[in-house]
């Protein structure tokens, strides 16, 4: 296999001393990546959760091509363009009623940073000194210093610990432990928390940990009772991953602020939005410049990204996305059920298009080398799977077929024989 080893590229989340190489991909299509030497990989994690419909979905590629005929990056203060205007209108329509304003940026992390800044700006401009942010145990909100602060602390954030701001943390609402979470949240909200941020229904990087829509709805009610702003980080869950367009829909919850990025353009090009309720925009609307919302990314509302997102929304509204997602949810449910009684795995869980299961192994935790061994094993079988420690998850693009899924699950079963402690 062609592996690039001598390169000036410093790759993300990579210990180059242990993972020196990278497969050089020259073609992507549907659920498959093709390397320079012809080796093919089934992209069973949607290229780190971004690709929704499939790689290089023709309608999205066409929208990108068409837009480059007339536009590239345009300054977004004092100027605007149709792709951004049209996309904002469409997003207000397609999201739950109440999310009336759209702030553009370019990644999930910036969308979350923007959300936190909006929440603090809201309280400051209203003259109520609320600054405390509450977050869920095991949560992940990005890798910038601000979003790392909101996320769970671990060996990944340890070197930056002195710079991270303090966040109030409530326990993860695991089955049977929901009341503990709700009580802790209520206590922080009663003390006047500015905002509560959560990944709705499932925590991604924290280990694909799911919790119930009832708990999500109850957490939102607690926030409402104390006027704490509820920020939904739908960066991973948005655009169908949990079976519905947005995860919050399953709980009947309308967030005060919502962050979308990964699937916004179908995963094709970077773009992010932070959407909010009218009151939050209005708190920044005043004759004084000092009350403005001071945030900008150079690539705010990139027209090509906006056009890709518009093509993505067309696929959701007029195309096959909803049927594909429903079909994939059913296929994943069936396969998860097969592993439920498998003694080599624990905590087999399924939510929407996502299945996750914990390999019973003697090593545990993110830094154990079992994850690297598993990645190598799967790569060797033509599979892109990247376990989080010993948690293996399958989060495929929606075009994946049952036979393709079976390739992934067959390899997972084989891996359990080779690396599990029950073997
Ligand atoms: C991926 C992710 C982010 C960060 O998005 P980036 O585009 O990688 O900055 C934030 N929140 C959640 C829930 C994510 O899964």
């Amino acid at each position: 296999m062609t592996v690039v080893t001598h390169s000036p590229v410093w790759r993300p989340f990579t210990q180059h001393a242990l993972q020196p190489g990278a497969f050089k991909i020259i073609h992507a299509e549907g659920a498959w990546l093709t390397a320079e030497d012809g080796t093919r990989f089934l992209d069973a994690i949607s290229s780190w959760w971004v690709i929704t419909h499939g790689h290089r979905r023709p309608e999205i590629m066409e929208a990108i091509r068409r837009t480059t005929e007339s536009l590239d990056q345009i300054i977004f203060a004092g100027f605007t363009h149709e792709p951004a205007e049209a996309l904002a209108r469409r997003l207000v329509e397609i999201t739950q009623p109440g999310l009336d304003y759209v702030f553009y940026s370019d990644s999930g992390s910036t969308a979350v940073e923007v959300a936190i800044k909006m929440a603090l700006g809201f309280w400051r401009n209203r003259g109520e000194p609320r600054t405390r942010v509450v977050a869920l145990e095991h949560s992940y909100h990005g890798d910038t210093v601000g979003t790392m602060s909101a996320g769970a602390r671990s060996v990944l954030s340890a070197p930056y610990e002195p710079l991270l701001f303090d966040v109030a943390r409530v326990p993860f609402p695991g089955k049977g432990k929901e009341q503990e979470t709700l009580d802790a949240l209520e206590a922080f909200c009663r003390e006047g928390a500015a905002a509560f941020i959560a990944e709705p229904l499932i925590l991604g990087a924290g280990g694909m940990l799911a919790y119930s829509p009832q708990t999500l709805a109850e957490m939102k009610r607690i926030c409402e009772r104390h006027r704490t702003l509820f920020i939904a980080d739908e960066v991973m869950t948005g655009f169908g991953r949990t079976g519905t367009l947005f995860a919050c829909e399953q709980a009947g919850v309308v967030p005060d602020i919502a962050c979308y990025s990964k699937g916004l353009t179908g995963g094709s090009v970077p773009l992010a939005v932070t959407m909010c309720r009218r009151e939050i925009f209005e708190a920044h609307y005043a004759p004084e410049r000092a009350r403005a919302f001071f945030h900008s990314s150079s690539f705010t509302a990139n027209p090509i990204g906006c056009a890709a997102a518009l093509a993505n929304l067309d696929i959701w509204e007029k195309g096959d996305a909803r049927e594909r997602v429903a079909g994939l949810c059913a296929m994943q449910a069936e396969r998860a059920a097969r592993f439920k009684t498998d003694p080599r795995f624990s905590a087999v869980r399924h939510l929407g298009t996502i299945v996750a299961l914990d390999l019973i192994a003697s090593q545990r935790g993110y830094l154990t080398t079992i994850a690297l061994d598993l990645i190598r094993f799967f790569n060797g079988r033509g599979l892109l799977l990247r376990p989080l420690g010993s948690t293996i998850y399958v989060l495929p693009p929606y075009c994946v077929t049952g036979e393709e899924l079976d390739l992934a699950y067959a390899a997972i079963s084989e891996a359990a024989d080779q690396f599990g402690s029950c073997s």
Side-chain angles (χ1 to χ4, degrees):
M1 273 189 227
T2 30
V3 172
V4 174
T5 46
H6 299 287
S7 161
V9 173
W10 193 342
R11 285 186 295 280
F13 273 102
T14 301
Q15 174 45 269
H16 282 250
L18 297 173
Q19 304 153 275
F23 300 104
K24 193 170 185 184
I25 299 302
I26 55 165
H27 191 85
E29 185 141 359
W32 292 89
L33 304 175
T34 307
E36 211 168 25
D37 68 347
T39 309
R40 281 164 33 97
F41 297 90
L42 176 68
D43 188 352
I45 60 160
S46 300
S47 276
W48 250 344
W49 322 346
V50 301
I51 300 294
T52 49
H53 314 294
H55 285 277
R56 291 179 51 252
R57 175 83 181 210
E59 299 94 313
I60 296 176
M61 296 298 105
E62 175 51 29
I64 291 171
R65 267 193 299 274
R66 196 174 355 97
T67 307
T68 61
E69 300 291 327
S70 54
L71 291 166
D72 55 4
Q73 182 64 38
I74 311 295
I75 184 173
F76 207 61
F79 292 80
T80 190
H81 47 79
E82 188 52 24
E85 295 295 331
L87 177 59
R89 285 192 302 268
R90 296 270 302 272
L91 284 170
V92 169
E93 272 169 33
I94 206 169
T95 51
Q96 298 102 297
L99 292 168
D100 289 333
Y101 283 87
V102 179
F103 191 94
Y104 285 106
S105 64
D106 44 28
S107 75
S109 299
T110 52
V112 172
E113 293 269 358
V114 163
I116 293 171
K117 285 174 71 175
M118 274 179 180
L120 264 76
F122 171 83
W123 290 113
R124 184 186 163 90
N125 285 348
R126 290 176 50 121
E128 269 189 70
R130 294 195 185 201
T131 54
R132 191 136 214 227
V133 175
V134 186
L136 274 183
E137 179 192 15
H138 304 307
S139 64
Y140 176 81
H141 299 293
D143 279 331
T144 58
V145 170
T147 57
M148 256 195 305
S149 298
R153 304 300 160 85
S154 71
V155 62
L156 312 185
S157 61
Y160 325 107
E161 198 66 41
L163 291 182
L164 304 184
F165 60 77
D166 185 39
V167 165
R169 202 137 339 241
V170 297
F172 175 76
K175 240 199 186 87
K177 297 197 182 135
E178 294 89 347
Q179 198 54 46
E180 252 174 79
T181 306
L182 299 175
D183 292 345
L185 178 61
E186 181 111 43
F188 289 127
C189 290
R190 196 179 293 124
E191 289 167 10
F196 170 55
I197 181 167
E199 298 160 82
L201 299 190
I202 184 162
L203 277 53
M208 297 294 163
L209 304 172
Y211 63 94
S212 72
Q214 292 76 8
T215 306
L216 176 58
E218 195 50 47
M219 294 193 302
K220 175 63 167 64
R221 273 193 285 276
I222 289 169
C223 289
E224 271 169 29
R225 242 187 333 262
H226 302 281
R227 294 165 47 244
T228 296
L229 297 175
F230 176 69
I231 303 173
D233 177 355
E234 291 238 21
V235 170
M236 189 276 274
T237 52
F239 296 94
R241 284 300 169 199
T242 66
T244 45
L245 185 55
F246 302 112
C248 281
E249 290 172 16
Q250 293 182 41
V253 158
V254 182
D256 297 300
I257 305 178
C259 309
Y260 308 108
S261 182
K262 289 182 169 112
L264 176 58
T265 61
S268 59
V269 288
L271 187 73
V273 292
T274 307
M275 296 183 62
C276 70
R277 284 180 183 276
R278 183 172 299 278
E279 301 91 283
I280 295 166
F281 174 82
E282 283 175 352
H284 292 82
Y285 187 89
E288 305 99 69
R289 287 199 76 190
R291 286 182 182 228
F293 183 53
F294 292 112
H295 193 98
S296 161
S297 299
S298 300
F299 291 101
T300 298
N302 178 268
I304 296 157
C306 291
L310 280 166
N312 171 45
L313 293 190
D314 282 342
I315 296 167
W316 278 100
E317 287 180 343
K318 296 174 235 153
D320 57 359
R322 286 174 201 273
E323 299 87 87
R324 290 261 191 188
V325 164
L328 177 54
C329 291
M331 290 196 287
Q332 286 281 64
E334 203 183 296
R335 282 153 185 83
R338 279 186 223 155
F339 281 91
K340 276 256 153 80
T341 52
D342 192 321
R344 300 169 303 168
F345 297 97
S346 63
V348 179
R349 45 213 188 267
H350 163 243
L351 177 67
T353 71
I354 306 167
V355 167
L357 60 182
D358 295 349
L359 177 61
I360 298 172
S362 40
Q363 302 177 26
R364 300 195 74 83
Y366 183 88
L367 288 189
T368 60
T369 54
I370 189 165
L372 297 186
D373 292 338
L374 287 168
I375 291 170
R376 257 192 296 273
F377 173 87
F378 291 129
N379 288 168
R381 274 159 184 72
L383 265 177
L384 169 48
L385 279 173
R386 269 188 78 95
L388 297 155
S390 52
T391 297
I392 302 173
Y393 66 92
V394 180
L395 189 157
Y398 310 151
C399 64
V400 77
T401 65
E403 295 82 75
E404 288 165 342
L405 280 179
D406 288 335
L407 292 177
Y409 288 105
I412 290 170
S413 180
E414 243 186 279
D417 288 337
Q418 198 157 327
F419 299 99
S421 54
C422 290
S423 54

